[in-house]
Each structure stands twice: as C-alpha cells, then as structure tokens.
Amino acid sequence: MKTYKVREYINKLNEYNEIENLNMCDDILDIEINYMTYNSKDVDCDTMFICKGDNFKGEYLDSAIKNGAIIYVSEKRYNVNIPGIIVKNIRNSLSILSDMYFDFPEKYLTKIGITGTKGKTTTSFYTKYILDEYAKENLKNDTAIISSLTTYDGIEKFESHITTPESYEIHKHFRNAVDSGIKNVVMEVSSQAYTKKYGRLYGLKFDIGVFLNISEDHVSPIEHPTFEDYFSCKLKLFENTKRVCVNLDSDYSDRILQCAKKYTNNIVTFSIKDSNSDVYAYDIKVQNDGTHFKVKTDKFDREFVISMPGKFNVENALAAIAITYTLGIDSKYMYLGLKSAKTAGRMELFKTKDNKIVSIVDFAHNKLSFEKIYETVQNEYKDRYVITVFGCPGGKAQIRRKNLGEVAGKNSDRVYITADDPGVEEVSKISSEIEKYLKEYTNNYEKIDDREEAIKKAVNYAISLDKNSILLILGKGNDNTQKVMSGYVKYKSDIEQIKEYIDEYDKSISNI
C-alpha cells in the first residue's frame, strides 16, 4: 500500500475545497504519513490524528501527540506543538483522507449500495449468495459485505451493530477486500450516513445503487427531524451512483424514479405488480420447500425458489436479481444463490413436531416491516392464534412506539411488550408509551421488562392454548446483546431461546 506525504493530503483536501486554514511550516510538507487514526489510544509514529466527534476534548489530542502524532486535522485550531490542518467539515475530510490513506481501494472494487426502510440486510445477503455462486464456478474470490448483521472483508469477519460504519472503517474494509483479491462488495446504506452530522459516505461513488422502499422511520431529535429529511437523505444515494435499481412497488416510487433519472439513464426497475418493469416477478406460490416464483426479463424467464417465508422476501430476492442482472450474471447463479441463501435472524422459522406452535424470529423493527410480517401471517398462517413479542429502542426512532403499538395491536391476539435496546431510557417507560397505542386495539397484553422472561412466558402461553398458534418474536433477530446505557449487555438471543423451548416441548410430548 502506497504512503502519501502531508502535501499530497493537503492537495486532496483542496480538491474538495475543505481547507479552512493551515497551521504549519513548509518542512512538514514532505513527511510521509505512516498511520492515521481518530482514536488517541491507537497512535503510532508519524501519525496523522483526526480530531472528530461531538464530545472530542483537547486532552485526546495531547494524548495522541505523546504517543507519536505529528500532525492533526480538526475544525478547530489547538495550541499544541505539532502542525494542524484546519478543515471546514471534519466528517467529510475524514472520508477524503481515509480513502487516500488506504490508497484508494474503491477504484478496484465493484461497490453495491442498498438503501431502504426495510430489507437492506436480506437483499445484501441474497446478492452475496448469488455472487458467491458465480465466484465458485469462475475461480474468483467471494463477496465482501458490510451490513447491520455481519461485516466480512476477506480478512475480518465480525458481528455488526450499526448499518453503515464510520468512513475510516469503510475504506479499511475496502483495502482488506482488495488485498484479499475480492472484486465485489455489497453494503447497506443508511440515511444517517448521508447526513451532514455523519458524512460517512462523502466522496464515495457506488457502481450500483439500490432503492428498496420507504416509510416513516428514524424521526427523532438525534436522527432525522422530519420524514422529508429522512427521505431526502436516502435519495442522496442516486447522486453518488453510476447505475440504479428501483423498486416500482415502493411507496413514493414516482418520486424515487424521478430523482434517479436526474443522475443517470442507466436504471433497472423491478416489481411484483408492474409487468412492464425490467425485472418482473409473477406466479408466486408458497410450497413446503419454500416460496416459488417466476421472473421475467429481456434475458430470461424462469422459476426461482427462496426458503425464507413472506411475499416481501420475494421483493428482496427480486432486488438481488435486478442487481446481478445489471452486473450481467447468468440466471443459473441467481437460482443457485437464492435457493441456498439464509440470513440469520431474518424470517427464521421454527416449529414444534406436532405443529402446535410455529415461531418466526425476525429483525422487524419499524412500521413497514411489521406490516409485512402480519401480511405474511394473514396469507400463510391465517387460522393460527397470533402472539407477538416486541419492544422499541431507547433514544431514537420514537415514532415506532406509536406505529408498532398500533400495528401489533390490530393484528395480534396477545402481545408481550418488552426490551429492545433501551439504551439510556427505562424499559418500563418505553413500554408504557407503546401501551398507549396498543391498548386502543387490544387489552390482551402484558409488559415484561426482561426480554428473556417475556419470550419464556409467550412460549408457555402458546403451549397452554387449546389451538395452534404462531409466535412472532420481533426486533432482535439473532442478536445476543442489548444496548443498555452506552454499552452492550450479553443475553440469550431470541433464536437461542426459541430453539431451546421448542426442543423442551418436543421432548415432553415424545415422553407422553
């Protein structure tokens, strides 16, 4: 990986008109930067230190200097004994500098960015499965993925906690992918990543940008002030994309398509309703081995199968087909990839041996995803008693407390309101806010702060019924942590619990 001199970093920032002032002598300009960081505890010799964050303190810079920083980048000038580059926007500057520090790895990758209120993770994994099938047969390396579930770049693989990471981490993952011989990277694109506050994708151009859907979400004092701001930030993907895939079945699809056309003529549309779309799904049937559907394009007309239930997952699969169609991938790899695709914690299905209880564990956490889940229940499990376990996060997306309370209340026979990443808020306070909206539609609910206890009680209630039930455990998927205050606390994942309880039940009935 090539290293660059201070003057080259300055020249790059000047290309973007980000320099406010320079606080340095000429003798620093030809020094090469060997390391870059914004963590004062992670500093090496000849380090460029980035002063970022709302809670940044001058003492962090002092610590970085002691550990080897030779130059700092900041929106504010500090009275320290090393040179400084004063910039207009530290977030934008971090993205520009990170790209250069990692020697512009994105130039060697095909980058696929996926945005939408619902389905980003599943679509990302569907796409990865298809591209990995293609790679197997063509002696190529597998696909990198940056998602809210998992990050994999050829070198690192770990569980994720956020949708779109900091720009420095994005470019580091890109470099790891390039060094591993990877050619394709699929990543989820959050609306907040395009806000001025975060600027995590500043300067980054995607080869393919995908718009799945939009509905009201992430409106709160610390996220987006209005739905319009949320929507506008998602639409910024088009400004930074060469080719676009658009779901014609989304709400506001006319506006989405109109915006896309401002920036590119290379647009592929997909739909399960509009037969004039470029990628059209039809003849959708739920069978024992999964959901079967046919897809028609100008290149093929054939059947596909996905194992995950729900018509909305056909939409996600269709998006992955549109992406790989745009890349020129043969449909046989699409078929193989989708048939084998699994996404942990997304529409995972569990059943007791006697079929008394069917449970779906899903990451559904906003109004659109809840509506889609219940639509699936009504279509595929309509004769079952519906039990729902869910909660809402603390400190963000406060509209969910109303939306999810109303949707769950309308569509459930019994509800358990519980914890879902409460953060700095009390679980009981969040649950009481949900309750205000839920009880307009049902009185058959219970508030249980401890999520593990809520799931246990829901299972026991389902066992006690004299009818078959479907138990929906929503919001956390396979996540085995809860965000409490500013950290994460370990606990049994929803999947671990439901597997354990179903196994216990199956053993009990086999002994009768």
Side-chain angles (χ1 to χ4, degrees), residues 38-76:
Y38 54 83
N39 182 352
S40 61
K41 297 177 182 178
D42 177 32
V43 177
D44 209 336
C45 294
D46 297 336
T47 290
M48 177 180 282
F49 183 70
I50 314 298
C51 306
K52 92 164 177 68
D54 293 338
N55 299 315
F56 185 83
K57 300 175 183 178
E59 62 196 62
Y60 299 155
L61 176 56
D62 294 336
S63 175
I65 293 169
K66 288 179 184 177
N67 292 328
I70 60 168
I71 189 169
Y72 73 93
V73 183
S74 172
E75 292 180 2
K76 173 185 174 181

mmCIF file of all heavy atoms in Angstrom, residues 38-76:
data_model
loop_
_atom_site.group_PDB
_atom_site.id
_atom_site.type_symbol
_atom_site.label_atom_id
_atom_site.label_comp_id
_atom_site.label_asym_id
_atom_site.label_seq_id
_atom_site.Cartn_x
_atom_site.Cartn_y
_atom_site.Cartn_z
ATOM 1 N N TYR A 38 -8.376 8.242 14.491
ATOM 2 C CA TYR A 38 -9.085 9.249 15.281
ATOM 3 C C TYR A 38 -9.214 8.773 16.729
ATOM 4 O O TYR A 38 -9.921 9.364 17.531
ATOM 5 C CB TYR A 38 -10.462 9.562 14.692
ATOM 6 C CG TYR A 38 -11.373 8.374 14.470
ATOM 7 C CD1 TYR A 38 -12.128 7.855 15.511
ATOM 8 C CD2 TYR A 38 -11.489 7.795 13.211
ATOM 9 C CE1 TYR A 38 -12.967 6.767 15.311
ATOM 10 C CE2 TYR A 38 -12.325 6.709 12.998
ATOM 11 C CZ TYR A 38 -13.059 6.208 14.053
ATOM 12 O OH TYR A 38 -13.893 5.126 13.856
ATOM 13 N N ASN A 39 -8.504 7.701 17.058
ATOM 14 C CA ASN A 39 -8.501 7.136 18.403
ATOM 15 C C ASN A 39 -7.173 7.476 19.077
ATOM 16 O O ASN A 39 -6.117 6.992 18.664
ATOM 17 C CB ASN A 39 -8.694 5.625 18.325
ATOM 18 C CG ASN A 39 -8.747 4.959 19.687
ATOM 19 O OD1 ASN A 39 -8.498 5.596 20.710
ATOM 20 N ND2 ASN A 39 -9.057 3.676 19.704
ATOM 21 N N SER A 40 -7.222 8.292 20.110
ATOM 22 C CA SER A 40 -5.989 8.757 20.761
ATOM 23 C C SER A 40 -5.221 7.621 21.435
ATOM 24 O O SER A 40 -4.030 7.766 21.733
ATOM 25 C CB SER A 40 -6.318 9.841 21.796
ATOM 26 O OG SER A 40 -7.180 9.330 22.803
ATOM 27 N N LYS A 41 -5.894 6.479 21.670
ATOM 28 C CA LYS A 41 -5.218 5.337 22.279
ATOM 29 C C LYS A 41 -4.564 4.433 21.229
ATOM 30 O O LYS A 41 -3.886 3.473 21.575
ATOM 31 C CB LYS A 41 -6.224 4.517 23.102
ATOM 32 C CG LYS A 41 -6.824 5.290 24.270
ATOM 33 C CD LYS A 41 -7.859 4.458 25.013
ATOM 34 C CE LYS A 41 -8.492 5.250 26.154
ATOM 35 N NZ LYS A 41 -9.537 4.471 26.853
ATOM 36 N N ASP A 42 -4.801 4.743 19.962
ATOM 37 C CA ASP A 42 -4.287 3.917 18.862
ATOM 38 C C ASP A 42 -3.443 4.797 17.947
ATOM 39 O O ASP A 42 -3.830 5.128 16.838
ATOM 40 C CB ASP A 42 -5.466 3.294 18.104
ATOM 41 C CG ASP A 42 -5.016 2.473 16.901
ATOM 42 O OD1 ASP A 42 -3.926 1.885 16.975
ATOM 43 O OD2 ASP A 42 -5.760 2.443 15.897
ATOM 44 N N VAL A 43 -2.281 5.189 18.431
ATOM 45 C CA VAL A 43 -1.406 6.107 17.705
ATOM 46 C C VAL A 43 -0.025 5.490 17.574
ATOM 47 O O VAL A 43 0.465 4.843 18.501
ATOM 48 C CB VAL A 43 -1.317 7.480 18.426
ATOM 49 C CG1 VAL A 43 -0.341 8.409 17.711
ATOM 50 C CG2 VAL A 43 -2.692 8.126 18.501
ATOM 51 N N ASP A 44 0.592 5.681 16.413
ATOM 52 C CA ASP A 44 1.927 5.158 16.157
ATOM 53 C C ASP A 44 2.818 6.314 15.725
ATOM 54 O O ASP A 44 2.375 7.466 15.672
ATOM 55 C CB ASP A 44 1.855 4.071 15.076
ATOM 56 C CG ASP A 44 2.954 3.031 15.229
ATOM 57 O OD1 ASP A 44 3.997 3.352 15.840
ATOM 58 O OD2 ASP A 44 2.772 1.902 14.738
ATOM 59 N N CYS A 45 4.052 5.999 15.361
ATOM 60 C CA CYS A 45 4.961 7.033 14.876
ATOM 61 C C CYS A 45 4.459 7.609 13.558
ATOM 62 O O CYS A 45 3.871 6.886 12.741
ATOM 63 C CB CYS A 45 6.362 6.459 14.686
ATOM 64 S SG CYS A 45 7.136 5.942 16.230
ATOM 65 N N ASP A 46 4.715 8.892 13.337
ATOM 66 C CA ASP A 46 4.345 9.580 12.094
ATOM 67 C C ASP A 46 2.863 9.429 11.790
ATOM 68 O O ASP A 46 2.457 9.082 10.672
ATOM 69 C CB ASP A 46 5.185 9.062 10.916
ATOM 70 C CG ASP A 46 6.668 9.344 11.096
ATOM 71 O OD1 ASP A 46 6.995 10.286 11.844
ATOM 72 O OD2 ASP A 46 7.490 8.625 10.506
ATOM 73 N N THR A 47 2.040 9.686 12.807
ATOM 74 C CA THR A 47 0.588 9.541 12.690
ATOM 75 C C THR A 47 -0.081 10.875 12.382
ATOM 76 O O THR A 47 0.266 11.903 12.970
ATOM 77 C CB THR A 47 -0.005 8.969 13.997
ATOM 78 O OG1 THR A 47 0.380 7.606 14.131
ATOM 79 C CG2 THR A 47 -1.528 9.057 14.003
ATOM 80 N N MET A 48 -1.067 10.829 11.483
ATOM 81 C CA MET A 48 -1.979 11.948 11.287
ATOM 82 C C MET A 48 -3.196 11.674 12.166
ATOM 83 O O MET A 48 -3.875 10.665 12.000
ATOM 84 C CB MET A 48 -2.400 12.070 9.820
ATOM 85 C CG MET A 48 -3.415 13.181 9.562
ATOM 86 S SD MET A 48 -3.902 13.293 7.812
ATOM 87 C CE MET A 48 -2.472 14.136 7.133
ATOM 88 N N PHE A 49 -3.460 12.566 13.108
ATOM 89 C CA PHE A 49 -4.535 12.347 14.067
ATOM 90 C C PHE A 49 -5.737 13.207 13.702
ATOM 91 O O PHE A 49 -5.616 14.416 13.492
ATOM 92 C CB PHE A 49 -4.069 12.687 15.484
ATOM 93 C CG PHE A 49 -5.104 12.427 16.537
ATOM 94 C CD1 PHE A 49 -5.467 11.133 16.872
ATOM 95 C CD2 PHE A 49 -5.745 13.479 17.181
ATOM 96 C CE1 PHE A 49 -6.433 10.879 17.835
ATOM 97 C CE2 PHE A 49 -6.717 13.241 18.143
ATOM 98 C CZ PHE A 49 -7.055 11.927 18.468
ATOM 99 N N ILE A 50 -6.908 12.565 13.625
ATOM 100 C CA ILE A 50 -8.148 13.246 13.229
ATOM 101 C C ILE A 50 -8.951 13.588 14.484
ATOM 102 O O ILE A 50 -9.323 12.694 15.253
ATOM 103 C CB ILE A 50 -8.995 12.357 12.294
ATOM 104 C CG1 ILE A 50 -8.136 11.722 11.193
ATOM 105 C CG2 ILE A 50 -10.146 13.169 11.711
ATOM 106 C CD1 ILE A 50 -7.476 12.705 10.254
ATOM 107 N N CYS A 51 -9.217 14.868 14.689
ATOM 108 C CA CYS A 51 -9.988 15.323 15.861
ATOM 109 C C CYS A 51 -11.461 15.364 15.480
ATOM 110 O O CYS A 51 -11.943 16.350 14.919
ATOM 111 C CB CYS A 51 -9.519 16.703 16.298
ATOM 112 S SG CYS A 51 -7.751 16.829 16.612
ATOM 113 N N LYS A 52 -12.184 14.283 15.745
ATOM 114 C CA LYS A 52 -13.586 14.219 15.342
ATOM 115 C C LYS A 52 -14.482 13.822 16.504
ATOM 116 O O LYS A 52 -14.023 13.230 17.474
ATOM 117 C CB LYS A 52 -13.774 13.233 14.187
ATOM 118 C CG LYS A 52 -14.113 11.845 14.624
ATOM 119 C CD LYS A 52 -14.650 10.972 13.551
ATOM 120 C CE LYS A 52 -14.887 9.567 14.115
ATOM 121 N NZ LYS A 52 -15.974 9.497 15.091
ATOM 122 N N GLY A 53 -15.747 14.171 16.371
ATOM 123 C CA GLY A 53 -16.724 13.759 17.352
ATOM 124 C C GLY A 53 -17.265 14.924 18.155
ATOM 125 O O GLY A 53 -16.536 15.859 18.495
ATOM 126 N N ASP A 54 -18.570 14.858 18.469
ATOM 127 C CA ASP A 54 -19.204 15.936 19.237
ATOM 128 C C ASP A 54 -18.601 16.085 20.625
ATOM 129 O O ASP A 54 -18.618 17.172 21.206
ATOM 130 C CB ASP A 54 -20.709 15.658 19.366
ATOM 131 C CG ASP A 54 -21.429 15.734 18.025
ATOM 132 O OD1 ASP A 54 -20.887 16.385 17.104
ATOM 133 O OD2 ASP A 54 -22.514 15.136 17.902
ATOM 134 N N ASN A 55 -18.077 14.985 21.159
ATOM 135 C CA ASN A 55 -17.545 15.007 22.521
ATOM 136 C C ASN A 55 -16.018 15.035 22.556
ATOM 137 O O ASN A 55 -15.408 14.690 23.573
ATOM 138 C CB ASN A 55 -18.056 13.781 23.299
ATOM 139 C CG ASN A 55 -19.569 13.760 23.400
ATOM 140 O OD1 ASN A 55 -20.189 14.776 23.688
ATOM 141 N ND2 ASN A 55 -20.163 12.604 23.137
ATOM 142 N N PHE A 56 -15.405 15.460 21.437
ATOM 143 C CA PHE A 56 -13.942 15.499 21.382
ATOM 144 C C PHE A 56 -13.401 16.522 22.381
ATOM 145 O O PHE A 56 -13.937 17.618 22.526
ATOM 146 C CB PHE A 56 -13.461 15.848 19.972
ATOM 147 C CG PHE A 56 -11.962 15.791 19.830
ATOM 148 C CD1 PHE A 56 -11.340 14.583 19.593
ATOM 149 C CD2 PHE A 56 -11.187 16.935 19.978
ATOM 150 C CE1 PHE A 56 -9.948 14.507 19.505
ATOM 151 C CE2 PHE A 56 -9.805 16.875 19.892
ATOM 152 C CZ PHE A 56 -9.184 15.656 19.643
ATOM 153 N N LYS A 57 -12.315 16.134 23.063
ATOM 154 C CA LYS A 57 -11.673 17.013 24.043
ATOM 155 C C LYS A 57 -10.212 17.231 23.662
ATOM 156 O O LYS A 57 -9.564 16.331 23.112
ATOM 157 C CB LYS A 57 -11.743 16.387 25.437
ATOM 158 C CG LYS A 57 -13.153 16.140 25.944
ATOM 159 C CD LYS A 57 -13.128 15.418 27.282
ATOM 160 C CE LYS A 57 -14.542 15.108 27.764
ATOM 161 N NZ LYS A 57 -14.523 14.347 29.051
ATOM 162 N N GLY A 58 -9.701 18.411 23.976
ATOM 163 C CA GLY A 58 -8.311 18.733 23.677
ATOM 164 C C GLY A 58 -7.333 17.756 24.293
ATOM 165 O O GLY A 58 -6.247 17.517 23.743
ATOM 166 N N GLU A 59 -7.711 17.162 25.426
ATOM 167 C CA GLU A 59 -6.816 16.205 26.083
ATOM 168 C C GLU A 59 -6.587 14.958 25.228
ATOM 169 O O GLU A 59 -5.546 14.296 25.353
ATOM 170 C CB GLU A 59 -7.364 15.808 27.451
ATOM 171 C CG GLU A 59 -8.708 15.123 27.407
ATOM 172 C CD GLU A 59 -9.407 15.090 28.760
ATOM 173 O OE1 GLU A 59 -9.697 16.170 29.301
ATOM 174 O OE2 GLU A 59 -9.661 13.967 29.260
ATOM 175 N N TYR A 60 -7.554 14.633 24.334
ATOM 176 C CA TYR A 60 -7.356 13.492 23.440
ATOM 177 C C TYR A 60 -6.218 13.791 22.465
ATOM 178 O O TYR A 60 -5.402 12.921 22.154
ATOM 179 C CB TYR A 60 -8.632 13.189 22.649
ATOM 180 C CG TYR A 60 -9.828 12.825 23.488
ATOM 181 C CD1 TYR A 60 -11.117 13.034 23.009
ATOM 182 C CD2 TYR A 60 -9.685 12.269 24.750
ATOM 183 C CE1 TYR A 60 -12.232 12.696 23.775
ATOM 184 C CE2 TYR A 60 -10.789 11.934 25.518
ATOM 185 C CZ TYR A 60 -12.063 12.156 25.028
ATOM 186 O OH TYR A 60 -13.150 11.825 25.785
ATOM 187 N N LEU A 61 -6.158 15.012 21.976
ATOM 188 C CA LEU A 61 -5.070 15.410 21.078
ATOM 189 C C LEU A 61 -3.739 15.401 21.816
ATOM 190 O O LEU A 61 -2.726 14.943 21.274
ATOM 191 C CB LEU A 61 -5.365 16.794 20.482
ATOM 192 C CG LEU A 61 -4.278 17.404 19.588
ATOM 193 C CD1 LEU A 61 -3.923 16.470 18.436
ATOM 194 C CD2 LEU A 61 -4.737 18.759 19.046
ATOM 195 N N ASP A 62 -3.724 15.896 23.060
ATOM 196 C CA ASP A 62 -2.492 15.874 23.861
ATOM 197 C C ASP A 62 -1.973 14.450 24.007
ATOM 198 O O ASP A 62 -0.767 14.191 23.888
ATOM 199 C CB ASP A 62 -2.754 16.476 25.247
ATOM 200 C CG ASP A 62 -3.092 17.964 25.198
ATOM 201 O OD1 ASP A 62 -2.690 18.628 24.210
ATOM 202 O OD2 ASP A 62 -3.758 18.449 26.123
ATOM 203 N N SER A 63 -2.892 13.519 24.274
ATOM 204 C CA SER A 63 -2.517 12.113 24.419
ATOM 205 C C SER A 63 -1.965 11.558 23.111
ATOM 206 O O SER A 63 -0.968 10.818 23.107
ATOM 207 C CB SER A 63 -3.732 11.295 24.866
ATOM 208 O OG SER A 63 -3.435 9.921 24.902
ATOM 209 N N ALA A 64 -2.591 11.923 21.998
ATOM 210 C CA ALA A 64 -2.137 11.442 20.691
ATOM 211 C C ALA A 64 -0.732 11.949 20.383
ATOM 212 O O ALA A 64 0.098 11.214 19.825
ATOM 213 C CB ALA A 64 -3.116 11.891 19.607
ATOM 214 N N ILE A 65 -0.463 13.199 20.742
ATOM 215 C CA ILE A 65 0.867 13.775 20.496
ATOM 216 C C ILE A 65 1.927 13.022 21.302
ATOM 217 O O ILE A 65 3.006 12.688 20.794
ATOM 218 C CB ILE A 65 0.876 15.279 20.842
ATOM 219 C CG1 ILE A 65 -0.024 16.042 19.864
ATOM 220 C CG2 ILE A 65 2.294 15.839 20.802
ATOM 221 C CD1 ILE A 65 -0.286 17.481 20.270
ATOM 222 N N LYS A 66 1.622 12.712 22.557
ATOM 223 C CA LYS A 66 2.555 11.956 23.395
ATOM 224 C C LYS A 66 2.849 10.589 22.795
ATOM 225 O O LYS A 66 3.950 10.049 22.933
ATOM 226 C CB LYS A 66 1.972 11.777 24.798
ATOM 227 C CG LYS A 66 1.963 13.048 25.635
ATOM 228 C CD LYS A 66 1.341 12.778 27.002
ATOM 229 C CE LYS A 66 1.240 14.066 27.816
ATOM 230 N NZ LYS A 66 0.578 13.841 29.128
ATOM 231 N N ASN A 67 1.865 10.021 22.119
ATOM 232 C CA ASN A 67 2.012 8.668 21.564
ATOM 233 C C ASN A 67 2.590 8.634 20.158
ATOM 234 O O ASN A 67 2.787 7.549 19.610
ATOM 235 C CB ASN A 67 0.660 7.961 21.578
ATOM 236 C CG ASN A 67 0.184 7.650 22.982
ATOM 237 O OD1 ASN A 67 0.983 7.401 23.870
ATOM 238 N ND2 ASN A 67 -1.129 7.674 23.185
ATOM 239 N N GLY A 68 2.833 9.814 19.560
ATOM 240 C CA GLY A 68 3.512 9.806 18.255
ATOM 241 C C GLY A 68 2.853 10.563 17.134
ATOM 242 O O GLY A 68 3.339 10.531 16.001
ATOM 243 N N ALA A 69 1.740 11.250 17.386
ATOM 244 C CA ALA A 69 1.099 12.029 16.319
ATOM 245 C C ALA A 69 1.986 13.198 15.923
ATOM 246 O O ALA A 69 2.551 13.890 16.787
ATOM 247 C CB ALA A 69 -0.256 12.542 16.789
ATOM 248 N N ILE A 70 2.118 13.437 14.619
ATOM 249 C CA ILE A 70 2.982 14.524 14.138
ATOM 250 C C ILE A 70 2.184 15.641 13.461
ATOM 251 O O ILE A 70 2.734 16.700 13.158
ATOM 252 C CB ILE A 70 4.059 14.004 13.163
ATOM 253 C CG1 ILE A 70 3.404 13.349 11.928
ATOM 254 C CG2 ILE A 70 5.012 13.039 13.861
ATOM 255 C CD1 ILE A 70 4.368 13.072 10.802
ATOM 256 N N ILE A 71 0.893 15.394 13.218
ATOM 257 C CA ILE A 71 0.042 16.409 12.606
ATOM 258 C C ILE A 71 -1.412 16.101 12.971
ATOM 259 O O ILE A 71 -1.765 14.924 13.138
ATOM 260 C CB ILE A 71 0.235 16.453 11.064
ATOM 261 C CG1 ILE A 71 -0.491 17.654 10.467
ATOM 262 C CG2 ILE A 71 -0.211 15.156 10.395
ATOM 263 C CD1 ILE A 71 -0.125 17.914 9.007
ATOM 264 N N TYR A 72 -2.205 17.123 13.137
ATOM 265 C CA TYR A 72 -3.613 16.893 13.450
ATOM 266 C C TYR A 72 -4.506 17.559 12.407
ATOM 267 O O TYR A 72 -4.106 18.515 11.733
ATOM 268 C CB TYR A 72 -3.965 17.385 14.862
ATOM 269 C CG TYR A 72 -4.046 18.887 15.032
ATOM 270 C CD1 TYR A 72 -5.260 19.560 14.891
ATOM 271 C CD2 TYR A 72 -2.908 19.636 15.356
ATOM 272 C CE1 TYR A 72 -5.351 20.941 15.057
ATOM 273 C CE2 TYR A 72 -2.981 21.010 15.528
ATOM 274 C CZ TYR A 72 -4.206 21.657 15.371
ATOM 275 O OH TYR A 72 -4.289 23.017 15.531
ATOM 276 N N VAL A 73 -5.721 17.027 12.267
ATOM 277 C CA VAL A 73 -6.737 17.583 11.368
ATOM 278 C C VAL A 73 -7.966 17.861 12.215
ATOM 279 O O VAL A 73 -8.433 16.991 12.952
ATOM 280 C CB VAL A 73 -7.085 16.600 10.225
ATOM 281 C CG1 VAL A 73 -8.090 17.244 9.268
ATOM 282 C CG2 VAL A 73 -5.837 16.168 9.474
ATOM 283 N N SER A 74 -8.491 19.087 12.115
ATOM 284 C CA SER A 74 -9.582 19.479 13.003
ATOM 285 C C SER A 74 -10.359 20.645 12.408
ATOM 286 O O SER A 74 -9.851 21.358 11.537
ATOM 287 C CB SER A 74 -8.996 19.885 14.369
ATOM 288 O OG SER A 74 -9.992 20.436 15.208
ATOM 289 N N GLU A 75 -11.588 20.813 12.872
ATOM 290 C CA GLU A 75 -12.341 22.015 12.527
ATOM 291 C C GLU A 75 -11.911 23.191 13.410
ATOM 292 O O GLU A 75 -12.232 24.344 13.106
ATOM 293 C CB GLU A 75 -13.848 21.771 12.710
ATOM 294 C CG GLU A 75 -14.433 20.787 11.709
ATOM 295 C CD GLU A 75 -15.921 20.564 11.928
ATOM 296 O OE1 GLU A 75 -16.493 21.205 12.839
ATOM 297 O OE2 GLU A 75 -16.529 19.757 11.197
ATOM 298 N N LYS A 76 -11.209 22.877 14.478
ATOM 299 C CA LYS A 76 -10.788 23.899 15.451
ATOM 300 C C LYS A 76 -9.272 23.911 15.559
ATOM 301 O O LYS A 76 -8.617 22.869 15.524
ATOM 302 C CB LYS A 76 -11.415 23.561 16.814
ATOM 303 C CG LYS A 76 -10.953 24.416 17.959
ATOM 304 C CD LYS A 76 -11.556 23.904 19.278
ATOM 305 C CE LYS A 76 -10.980 24.666 20.475
ATOM 306 N NZ LYS A 76 -11.541 24.162 21.754
#
